[in-house]
Amino acid sequence: MNTLQNKTALITGSARGLGKAIAERYAALGANIIVNYSRDKVSAEETLSTVEAMGVKAIAIQADVSKVTDIERLFSETKKAFGKIDIVIANAGIEMVETPVTQFTEEQFDHLFNINTKGAYFTMQQAAKNVEDNGRIIYIASSTTAFPVPGMAVYGGSKTTPRYLVDVLSKEIGHRGVTVNSIIPFAVDHSGIFVDPNAYPELRKSLIESCPMGRLAEVEDVANLAEFFASDLSSFVNGQHLLVNGGATQ
């Protein structure tokens, strides 16, 4: 059985959705947890209560990953509280779908890239500076970086640059025993744009039809891989990008 006893895990965007599922999984394995949120303090406190009930230490830290000063503060407060960081999940992000290239505005472009690209980049930069030797850095990407989908040009583009950073960073700090990998989820049910089961019915139908397993991903599917990448089982898996998509073709 995997264990993360005596590990400290910082998960950006962990008040809800995928980040919350990963926080809960790591807490169940014994890791101390930093719950990060930008605006939703109520959800962050709910996640905090859930992981604390598992008998681990946890704190919630507000930080907007689109601001480098907030990211730096997030890491400094984490080290002040726990003394070290073993695992960093760069998960915080926003989605925008069903918007053709010709309709994207500059404001929308900047908003997505500030959070998804700039935020992930500087989160992983701080992780590289602060994570313990033999630590883990994990980026939550998107299957749109592997399979172009109409209406998702800017969203997919904003998630692609950090994937390249994973490739480079894995080579720059691998000598410390630190692994840097990305998880590439398919559309996730009950998370992101699909929190509402009635949202985007045509897109949902199209995605399900493209998947041989006939469903969207669940948060637990992603948490399973996050557990693997954080554990000793992945100690020699570095610079990799693993699809969690049930064999889907888009």
Side-chain angles (χ1 to χ4, degrees), residues 194 200-211 216:
F194 291 117
Y200 301 99
E202 292 303 315
L203 178 59
R204 175 186 289 268
K205 180 174 180 290
S206 172
L207 290 168
I208 290 174
E209 288 175 350
S210 77
C211 180
L216 301 184

Side-chain angles (χ1 to χ4, degrees), residues 10 34-38 59-65 67-81 85 122 126 130:
L10 189 167
I34 297 84
V35 176
N36 162 247
Y37 69 100
S38 177
I59 59 173
I61 300 176
Q62 187 283 329
D64 180 350
V65 299
K67 300 175 182 177
V68 175
T69 53
D70 273 26
I71 296 172
E72 292 172 343
R73 176 175 54 79
L74 172 62
F75 277 81
S76 65
E77 289 184 9
T78 296
K79 292 192 77 171
K80 182 178 180 180
I85 304 171
F122 285 100
Q126 284 298 309
N130 289 283

Side-chain angles (χ1 to χ4, degrees), residues 93-101 103-105 108-109 111-112 116 142-145 147-159 185-188 191-196 198-204 206-207 216 250:
I94 57 172
E95 296 175 82
M96 188 168 186
V97 301
E98 296 187 341
T99 307
V101 170
Q103 293 181 15
F104 257 99
T105 66
Q108 290 169 332
F109 182 98
H111 187 49
L112 262 72
N116 294 352
S142 163
S143 61
T144 58
T145 64
F147 304 102
V149 180
M152 299 189 191
V154 177
Y155 170 67
S158 72
K159 301 289 282 186
F186 189 48
V188 182
S191 180
I193 63 170
F194 291 117
V195 168
D196 178 356
N198 298 313
Y200 301 99
E202 292 303 315
L203 178 59
R204 175 186 289 268
S206 172
L207 290 168
L216 301 184
Q250 73 175 55

Side-chain angles (χ1 to χ4, degrees), residues 1-4 22 25-26 28-29 87 89 136 138 183 220-234:
M1 178 179 176
N2 289 328
T3 179
L4 296 178
I22 294 170
R25 176 65 63 87
Y26 285 0
L29 294 169
I87 304 161
I89 311 292
R136 302 286 187 266
I138 303 165
I183 298 172
E220 290 303 315
D221 296 317
V222 181
N224 288 340
L225 191 50
E227 176 181 339
F228 168 73
F229 274 146
S231 75
D232 290 341
L233 294 175
S234 66

